[in-house]
Amino acid sequence: MQPPLENESSVLVFTLSGLNETMENRYVLLSLTALYYPLIVLCNVTVIFTIICHKKLHEPMYVFICSLCVNGLYGTSGFYPKFMYDLLAHDHVISYAGCLVQIFIIYSSLLCDFSTLTVMAYDRYVAICRPLEYHSVMTSQRVLECILFCWISPFFCMSLLITLTSRLTLCGSSIEKLYCENWSIVKLSCFSTTVNNVIGFLIIIIYFGHAVLVFCSYIYLLRKCRKSIEGRNKFIQTCVPHLLALINVTTAFMFDVMFTRYGSRDVPQSVRNFMALEFLLIPPILNPLIYGLNLTTVRQQVIRLFFKKKVGISK
């Protein structure tokens, strides 16, 4: 009788090795993270609260911005608390179930960003190209359908991936990242992972397709907006921030996917960590800032919220 493969189907805990070479700077990293994560929470909560509390912001575009900020809070909650704990802990481990939950939260949040930016592009197309029909097209029911699409489709995709991953028999327990990632677990499988690979690539292609669709729609919008000063101003004010957010998320997603699957171990760990963290560092703070500070209506309401007594702004 052959001895069983090492750790076959008995992995209960994963080891995260992403911090191994940077532990001498753990307290610096902890201090920076302890400042940065509350800042993310503050900025996103401020925009969410401002949009909810002011009726003039109960328009489709601002509802989608609110959803984007809620998603920022949701996604970062899957990483930062565990990361700060690991900075203080001697052993960087996570349970099998906890690892799958972390994968689900982080990557469903990333996919939700793509979905939300896509429906925001549709909203801008209707507002700029069909302004007289805007309120008849972007009804409350249509907005609700868009929000459900933004959240349900990423949840379905990640549930499918997690289900496929949970069925694998594993022959290892070391993940060379700061957090759990689906492909890192799939690579530990003792047997064929063709189904996981095909489904994973299909989901990647679908969501990169979201980005391509948005970029193409903005090329069309840009051509339409050149015909009038009002159109150009509307494009610059509402579409350029959206485009910046999309470029940032797409670049971060591309780095994460390409490096996880094809990256070299010769790259310094600090560089690997930054590339893995980019979509957890930049979009959660960039989104509320570019929408909260750049969009005049939101900015005015934020100023009223915090400084009305100091600057004498009345409601």
Side-chain angles (χ1 to χ4, degrees):
M1 182 177 179
Q2 289 184 335
L5 293 170
E6 182 183 0
N7 292 331
E8 179 179 342
S9 70
S10 62
V11 174
L12 300 177
V13 174
F14 290 102
T15 301
L16 303 173
S17 60
L19 278 173
N20 287 355
E21 296 178 16
T22 56
M23 285 307 289
E24 65 273 11
N25 298 318
R26 68 163 75 186
Y27 294 112
V28 174
L29 291 172
L30 180 63
S31 300
L32 293 175
T33 306
L35 292 173
Y36 189 66
Y37 182 49
L39 180 62
I40 289 175
V41 174
L42 175 63
C43 291
N44 282 280
V45 168
T46 298
V47 174
I48 294 168
F49 183 78
T50 301
I51 291 172
I52 290 175
C53 291
H54 294 88
K55 289 186 177 180
K56 67 164 60 178
L57 298 180
H58 293 178
E59 295 288 334
M61 181 177 71
Y62 301 114
V63 173
F64 297 141
I65 292 171
C66 185
S67 177
L68 199 63
C69 291
V70 170
N71 184 53
L73 294 176
Y74 163 70
T76 53
S77 69
F79 170 71
Y80 284 99
K82 177 67 170 68
F83 178 62
M84 287 190 285
Y85 175 82
D86 283 344
L87 288 171
L88 293 174
H90 182 266
D91 297 317
H92 308 137
V93 297
I94 186 169
S95 68
Y96 184 92
C99 191
L100 296 183
V101 170
Q102 187 176 55
I103 293 170
F104 182 87
I105 292 174
I106 290 176
Y107 285 92
S108 63
S109 172
L110 177 60
L111 299 185
C112 187
D113 263 351
F114 277 100
S115 299
T116 306
L117 293 170
T118 301
V119 299
M120 289 173 72
Y122 172 71
D123 174 74
R124 291 301 84 205
Y125 163 77
V126 176
I128 294 174
C129 296
R130 301 162 61 186
L132 298 179
E133 304 173 43
Y134 181 76
H135 290 290
S136 62
V137 174
M138 296 303 295
T139 60
S140 298
Q141 182 177 350
R142 178 63 59 81
V143 172
L144 178 60
E145 291 171 353
C146 289
I147 293 294
L148 290 176
F149 164 76
C150 292
W151 288 88
I152 292 177
S153 56
F155 280 15
F156 172 78
C157 290
M158 288 311 303
S159 296
L160 178 60
L161 283 179
I162 293 296
T163 300
L164 292 173
T165 299
S166 66
R167 295 166 62 90
L168 295 175
T169 299
L170 305 182
C171 291
S173 60
S174 179
I175 296 176
E176 297 179 352
K177 294 188 76 167
L178 296 168
Y179 56 87
C180 289
E181 188 268 330
N182 189 64
W183 186 246
S184 296
I185 295 180
V186 172
K187 289 191 294 186
L188 299 174
S189 174
C190 306
F191 307 109
S192 173
T193 59
T194 302
V195 175
N196 297 70
N197 206 15
V198 170
I199 297 298
F201 267 120
L202 185 61
I203 291 173
I204 290 168
I205 290 170
I206 288 172
Y207 280 91
F208 270 124
H210 283 37
V212 172
L213 179 64
V214 174
F215 284 126
C216 291
S217 70
Y218 274 170
I219 292 173
Y220 175 77
L221 284 178
L222 188 58
R223 290 176 178 173
K224 295 281 288 185
C225 290
R226 287 189 303 176
K227 298 178 181 179
S228 69
I229 296 176
E230 182 182 355
R232 287 199 298 270
N233 290 337
K234 185 178 290 187
F235 182 88
I236 291 171
Q237 185 181 33
T238 62
C239 296
V240 170
H242 181 194
L243 198 55
L244 290 174
L246 182 66
I247 290 171
N248 185 51
V249 172
T250 304
T251 303
F253 189 29
M254 180 181 68
F255 273 146
D256 184 69
V257 168
M258 298 302 292
F259 191 81
T260 299
R261 290 175 178 260
Y262 309 112
S264 170
R265 292 188 178 182
D266 295 332
V267 177
Q269 190 179 62
S270 58
V271 176
R272 300 203 305 267
N273 287 344
F274 176 78
M275 293 175 72
L277 286 179
E278 206 274 341
F279 71 88
L280 288 165
L281 287 171
I282 309 301
I285 195 71
L286 182 66
N287 290 338
L289 289 180
I290 63 176
Y291 290 119
L293 297 180
N294 187 68
L295 295 183
T296 304
T297 310
V298 178
R299 183 172 65 247
Q300 288 174 345
Q301 297 301 336
V302 170
I303 292 173
R304 284 192 174 97
L305 183 66
F306 285 104
F307 304 113
K308 62 182 179 181
K309 292 183 180 180
K310 294 182 179 181
V311 300
I313 299 177
S314 61
K315 293 185 178 181

